[in-house]
Amino acid sequence: MPTLVFRNGPLAGRRVEVGSELLLGREQAHLTLDDPEVSRRHAVVRPVATGLEVAVGLEIEDLGSLNGTRVNGDRIHGAVRLVPGDRVEIGETLFEVEPEAAGSPPTVLSAPAPATVAGSAAQAPTLPPFGALAPPVSTRRRVASRRLTPTLLAFGTVIATAIALVAYFATR
């Protein structure tokens, strides 16, 4: 079974075997990454058949995260098939894909019964069934909360300038 080996970030040194769809994120995820650059629901890794063979590979899909997901240094859009040796970056977290677990025993995570990783005391919440973690279909562009303050300040400046211009021309 394919394994994710964490090289950098809060789970550095951990190995996670992927047997079913695995939601990665900062909150309410199968695998919680304590990283400020990771969105609440950042990406999903799922096993996929590799053609007519019985072998299983992985694919990763970014779920509309603010900082994006990178595979081998390239930002991805949509689902991307992963092969052994691929390096995936999510925020400050870096992991590699291995075809089989070697050495230390992996942590097996599955959607129906999420497990805790790194000795965390809190259990992950129950999440939707396999295939339900696709990004929401929306034609609206999402406004990130990190960009809200500069946007409000810009609107305030425009409104203040408009009021000043009206007052100036009213006095003439």
Side-chain angles (χ1 to χ4, degrees):
M1 204 171 291
T3 303
L4 306 180
V5 181
F6 288 83
R7 303 290 184 203
N8 192 15
L11 298 178
R14 304 260 187 225
R15 304 170 66 80
V16 178
E17 191 173 285
V18 181
S20 65
E21 194 167 71
L22 181 66
L23 177 65
L24 305 173
R26 196 178 66 240
E27 298 173 5
Q28 299 179 348
H30 296 120
L31 189 58
T32 304
L33 303 172
D34 187 21
D35 183 340
E37 293 186 22
V38 173
S39 296
R40 279 181 239 130
R41 287 176 30 118
H42 196 99
V44 63
V45 177
R46 62 179 69 93
V48 292
T50 58
L52 300 175
E53 305 169 3
V54 179
V56 174
L58 293 176
E59 79 176 6
I60 187 166
E61 184 174 2
D62 187 84
L63 298 176
S65 64
L66 179 62
N67 293 318
T69 301
R70 296 185 181 279
V71 175
N72 297 324
D74 297 324
R75 188 167 180 159
I76 64 169
H77 304 283
V80 173
R81 184 74 56 107
L82 297 174
V83 296
D86 277 350
R87 298 171 64 89
V88 179
E89 298 171 61
I90 296 178
E92 295 295 321
T93 301
L94 171 70
F95 60 87
E96 290 181 10
V97 179
E98 284 189 357
E100 293 183 24
S104 65
T107 303
V108 179
L109 298 175
S110 61
T116 55
V117 178
S120 172
Q123 288 288 338
T126 303
L127 294 171
F130 182 82
L133 297 175
V137 177
S138 175
T139 56
R140 282 185 352 162
R141 183 178 163 113
R142 203 174 85 193
V143 176
S145 60
R146 293 178 188 157
R147 296 182 186 159
L148 185 59
T149 301
T151 302
L152 291 176
L153 289 173
F155 280 123
T157 303
V158 169
I159 291 170
T161 303
I163 291 171
L165 285 171
V166 167
Y168 173 77
F169 286 112
T171 60
R172 296 200 103 205

